[in-house]
């Protein structure tokens, strides 16, 4: 049984529009809080868009995701998973980036996740732009390369931008492969689409063995078939899940910096996460939600709902370890 | 042939952006108007959100639905039904709620519908939040329980809120079953989804025999198959249709208080109504449109288009009775 | 010197867009926190609009005010007051209302403020609609009637609504006078304007001796002259400050339920607060901010800036008591 | 005493968000209604922007003005005029323009106002773009030229556009002078400002004796002084009042097609109307509200509040005639 | 190989948010520019909504489409076509309409396209409302009737409006057939849906042999099957492509004047264009984008992405002629 | 007389909503265009927000300012200056920043302005955040320190951020004084207000002799009196004008990253520029317009109107030199 200290406030006790907004209405446990050691899954904000090359905004995402998370209740209607019965969950607060220095920001993020990892906590991250994933992987994948299931409209495997700059939201996984944080043979990228200047990213993917499933193939084969393959690629090894909100079609997720037309609908957006059950997940992120381009909060609501699905899958792993599932 | 007094103003005579906004540009016939007895189908507004537990707004829906209804023309392009040739239709105005008193408001609504029923008029309601359906059913279902086709993401079958309060937009159909306004064996709920605090609502449904078709089943089976079953459940008895706009995915219907991710698209939203042809419908409602969360009017436009489809199905019933179809 | 535990996080340490949103980035101290006894000024949210007769929304205000409060820094540029050097400040969280029961909600609010008062904390409230002020005054004014400076476009002195209902956002100060929570001779209402059904509220004001300064007089005399009179009316006795955001012209504060044209501008909105220095203030509120009618946050930003000015005036009182000013 | 049939619905009886939206919640009296002869003041919509040269939209204004008019109550807080006690008021509906033909539209408008004039009704118009004023004046000023007080940022005295086209929203008063519908010596234009291609309009004003008070002079002299002069210019003869919403600064009235920076604030916007008391007004209009550029409704709310002030001034004239004032 | 002068600026050289907005960041070549003769495909704006009968706005579309076109890169991710390697492309600027005169505007448009045709340039147009297509066809189809693939929710085959007016956005293709600019036997209309006053448009289609594929058939058969038929209808003759943004469901394309519920999703919106490969296209347009009803730019982004797909198909034709494909 | 090549397109020839958006509809003259040498005043975009510490967005400003500049006509209604008769004006395009490197971006900007200066062109800049002013001054003030009139709510004289980072939008004028690009004795800052972490910026101002006029003094003294002093401070030497849009109250200019409550209104915003006539201005900028926080364009419209006033003052200088004024 989980600790009653690590459960969300119920909307029956305090209406959902009330109260200080934490992720899922969970308690806020700072890294220096003595209760940290009891946390199984930590929700963490990375309010940073230092890697954004076009339209900025994801630095504002963690706060809006926290706000909208009050709309999400406790038991999953589709899978009937009750994550807070399976795992002690908490909001670990935000990593403080340095808006003026990309490299310093990445160091701060990696250091934060090292402390989280040291406490034995599985992190579920609310980015931030997609460059956020790199410093996280530098912590989680430092000891051995991870597999990865990556939902996105872009591969984020480009080499560099603006005449050689190597750290943008278009490059994190190129770096992560180069730094041996990811095992490319165990990486599957799903939903890739849209025009590009060129496709050297896909040439790189082919060269190192990353499987890219473009959106045309996704729509033709359907969620179930695609996810069977994805699970096979990731295998039983430790796996990271990176979910860029622009994976989903912009009618469903307008609030993002580089949308691409023709993506999955919102039901498919949830189905792909449910299909991750059984994988050996060690961490996950939801990135590229951009509130300035979505003042209604519709994108953040979709984003936090996907995060709840990720949380359910992750809590099930904890529950199985404990034998409480 | 229908009475020329009960037809909408044509956009060819008066441009659609012009004129005082009534439902479908129909004449406004107040309950004390002598022409009331000639009306077959009455469109009624219930500007009330006294049952809303989270984000208020549906009190503003009837007005926005009237405004957007100017966009809807006279003949159904899919079914070729011309409702105004089949039935005398009118805007009966709004029921005046008491914003400060839930029980008084429900009494006012029931009293209004009693007069409508006494005049032999079939009501098509623009709510209001979903609690609106309860006082309507107290009129329409008083003499014998009705069947119901219910499109929604929530069952609205919960027992109570906030420590025992029994009248919210999450409880109307629990009350309606308890009060024997609905025959649970003839009730089918379609599109149910999303996280919940618990699922005692579904336990209740199972206990009394309400058929709940969750969204996962809906997507897997498709509209046609699901609606065959729904029609069988309702059977040939008198049936009410309750349509919560949050049945539809929030990308199509953002303007609502408690959206749930992963719903049907807008084409399916129309198809399910067309599949109601042939049922013995005695009334219908469209609820939970919330203009403050949808200033563009997109949700109201979708809502009023669904109402036009409902109107077509209802007018066909009138037409068949008259032999004018 | 104030306790370092009760200071806001600086934007130099953690960028202002980062972190869980509390009022002014202050620590969250729940009522059962042992540090409560050290708090001098408590910022409290009352997310409630149970008294709203027209367009609901203020239930969402505390959360948006917290979010925008990150934009406000530590030292007042006009008065050079540094409130966090003068008083221990904290975010005491939200009072949980009962959305389904006005009277129960008022009891909960009064009980919360009784605990705050018992801890010797001066409350600065973020409403809620204006009915929020009544249960607060039932705590603060229980022992003896208070004076009040009231900034608003409405007197909120009406008798009742909808056929006798006595508790709406148009009646709180009628009730407060009747219940002897306010001393009408020491009450001054500033900025009153707009059409009404009738003016029985002003007849009541005249009868009991409340001074009403309509907006025409405000604009003709100017801030300084009006505020001299207001201070004289309140005198040296204990005084409450109630600030309805609709005091300010709707071009500056669009996000409110019952705006009235022709109000003060934003500079005057701040000046009137600065003119409260020296009064014996025992509590203050900012009410009627309505986020659904102001998705950009402009109104909340103005509201929280006014709250910061109120906080400066209140902290100065604490500072003088301590001799640290 | 006025006829009880011609009074607005009170928000105490029916909440202000409820009911079919007519101007000021007044009864809708069509031109063929037998009650027409009892109407003193008729509120009329002209949903037409056939004269717009840049950003269209005013065709949608009457509907949005009707919607927001529910926010306006019955007694003027500043002047204490109760218009519905002084005059029988009604919503006469909209004139139906021909969106495809400017000249035909103008003929329809003039014909409508001829019927209104024949019924002895004083018209208060909700446009439409400013060209709307011309066909109205063709009815009201046909028998003898009228004086005019004109609030605007533009003179609308230009000769022609796009190579000779004489009927746009920049030309109505040039035509009205040419057609001897206006007596230029009795015309005063207030608030004129902004860049232009050239100022041949002002040369024309000078040539025919129209008094133009630019905004710089308005701000320097103040409302009171300017309005004394304006009243003198109009004198005791029959006078029309034309109020373009772009007279007001765009921060207060963003929803308009050709805003100009630096206008009056909202309090001045009301003051100038109150200063019209005592003039011999025969009709008035509020034009150029453009809902597509103001989805929040703030501009329409300001516009309808100005219309209420105009209505008060007009009702006072009726009241004086009847000796009921 | 194409001329380096006719290529877009790369976002690697100049960030995509920077620079004067031309279509696709291509060079602006005015009709009197000596480089005109080298252009293969010209992107042209027709900022005109003189044919709009309900909600105006498309006059603003070319500018917003240019702005959003910066988001679109150079190589098609699905078809791998690189249009700028195959054809010299340029932004030819806007045709200047006469907002006050429909017929004069049409003459100006036809004259502009005559010059484009004389220069041997294939035009890709950003309208404008759908009446824009008529004056374009008067140029392109003058010598012999064209075939047409028409994506839309309306046939635009109506006879006349408002008592006989023959030139609106509901009539262009009726006129084009009457004027023998189109060969009705080679015209296929796809996606038609929604209520109408009557269906004389479809009677006309049947009479002259135009193939209308309603949306119900489209959804039932799927994109591939429908497009096989469409290509057969158009055959190998010269064919125009007209793409009304309201073909797509309003959740994906809200910014349009007369949306209809139940359309294709965004992926299908692209698929239908890719299925045009191999046709003998002589020109194409994207019409009815209406920025005032879509301030976020989502509709324009979808519209310009569809235009990029059209450009790819057209460039492939040029490339094949040159043998460079 | 000015060259007809350097005049805006008139809205009489091409409607204002039409055409590719350049600043003021002027011709686009790239730096390598042979006509560059004839340009007197160059309007330049700096789409860059690399110095922004809180809410990003000004990188999008030049494009939105260009779009809205179509609304501004040719002759100043207040001063009757016709800038295009006095000076050859052109849009010189945007400087391309490096979004990933602050220092490289500054070098690119300085290099661009060096070329502009070498061509003898007076630059009028549309930023960009306020750090943009530093690299511009590095070009314009390289040879000798300039005077400056600075309109803003912040001094932008802070030393550093985030632990020593010296280049943000809060530091440009500290750097400019240190680098001897500005003569602090000839610098006047107007409108300063709002809370701060501390006021070391003002201590610096005092130490070096910069005159800071806080908003309280501005409102108390009035525009005229303040501007007399400002002109005296700048004197007859070469002077730069820097205008931050957040000088103006956020009700008028909501679209900016760090608004401060209580600023001047829009009329004063124009008056202060008109009061610059006669100064020896060598360049000017308008910075901190942030489109993502102002999707309606109201802020950009105000910003471009201020730029037109600046252009008038600058053109008058050119005209006087030429003797054509």
């Amino acid at each position: 049984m989980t600790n009653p200290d690590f459960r969300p406030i119920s909307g029956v006790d305090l209406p959902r529009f009330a109260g200080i907004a934490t992720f899922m209405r969970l308690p806020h446990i700072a890294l220096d809080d003595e209760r940290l050691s009891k946390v199984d899954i930590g929700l963490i904000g990375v309010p940073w868009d230092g890697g954004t090359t076009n339209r900025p905004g994801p630095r504002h995402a963690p706060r809006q995701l926290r706000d909208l998370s009050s709309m999400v209740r406790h038991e999953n209607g589709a899978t009937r998973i009750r994550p807070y019965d399976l795992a002690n969950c908490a909001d670990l607060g935000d990593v403080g980036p340095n808006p003026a220095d990309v490299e310093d920001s990445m160091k701060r993020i990696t250091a934060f996740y090292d402390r989280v990892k040291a406490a034995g906590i599985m992190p579920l991250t609310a980015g931030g732009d997609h460059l956020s994933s790199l410093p996280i992987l530098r912590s989680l994948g430092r000891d051995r390369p991870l597999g990865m299931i990556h939902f996105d409209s872009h591969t984020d495997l480009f080499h560099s931008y603006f005449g050689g700059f190597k750290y943008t939201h278009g490059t994190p996984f190129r770096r992560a492969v180069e730094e041996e944080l990811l095992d490319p043979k165990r990486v599957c990228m799903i939903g890739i689409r849209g025009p590009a200047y060129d496709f050297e990213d896909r040439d790189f993917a082919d060269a190192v063995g990353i499987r890219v499933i473009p959106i045309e193939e996704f729509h033709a084969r359907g969620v179930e078939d695609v996810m069977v393959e994805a699970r096979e690629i990731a295998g039983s090894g430790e796996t990271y899940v990176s979910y860029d909100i622009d994976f989903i079609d912009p009618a469903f997720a307008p609030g993002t910096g580089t949308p691409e037309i023709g993506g999955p609908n919102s039901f498919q957006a949830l189905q792909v996460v449910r299909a991750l059950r059984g994988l050996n997940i060690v961490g996950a992120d939801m990135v590229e939600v951009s509130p300035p381009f979505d003042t209604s909060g519709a994108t953040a609501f979709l984003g936090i709902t996907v995060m709840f699905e990720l949380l359910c899958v992750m809590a099930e792993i904890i529950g199985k370890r404990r034998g409480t599932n």
Side-chain angles (χ1 to χ4, degrees), chain A residues 236-255:
Chain A
S236 61
E238 290 184 332
T239 298
Y240 190 73
V241 179
S242 189
Y243 200 120
D244 186 318
I245 196 76
D246 70 26
F247 168 67
I248 309 166
D249 189 80
F252 299 83

Side-chain angles (χ1 to χ4, degrees), chain A residues 66-201:
Chain A
R66 279 190 179 92
D67 186 18
L68 271 298
S69 75
S70 299
M71 302 283 285
V72 182
R73 282 160 290 202
H74 304 177
E75 178 170 343
N76 190 312
T79 63
R80 292 295 172 104
I81 296 173
R82 296 182 64 86
Y84 312 113
D85 290 356
L86 300 173
N88 290 336
C89 300
D91 182 333
L92 304 187
D94 280 359
V95 187
N98 181 342
D101 190 327
V102 167
E103 303 230 5
D104 182 34
S105 294
M106 288 199 289
K107 281 180 194 156
R108 294 181 188 202
I109 297 168
T110 301
F112 189 102
Y113 280 79
D114 281 345
R115 292 180 65 184
V116 169
K117 189 169 70 168
I121 299 171
M122 196 185 290
L124 174 54
T125 302
D129 69 33
H130 223 148
L131 185 54
S132 308
S133 302
L134 178 59
I136 295 171
L137 288 172
R138 282 176 174 172
S139 175
L140 301 188
R142 185 185 294 123
D143 303 324
R144 71 279 161 256
L146 303 173
M148 181 169 74
I149 310 283
H150 175 205
F151 303 104
D152 204 335
S153 63
H154 313 96
T155 64
D156 296 348
L157 284 173
F158 286 92
H159 180 271
S160 58
Y161 280 63
F162 307 122
F165 192 73
K166 293 175 69 178
Y167 299 105
T168 80
H169 64 161
T171 67
F173 300 125
R174 182 73 158 257
R175 294 295 91 75
V177 169
E178 292 169 354
E179 300 180 17
E180 299 185 7
L181 309 169
L182 291 175
D183 172 1
K185 307 284 193 238
R186 292 184 47 235
V187 171
C188 182
M189 298 184 162
I190 302 169
I192 308 306
R193 63 188 183 272
Y197 296 121
D198 56 49
F199 289 98
E200 61 99 352
D201 60 325

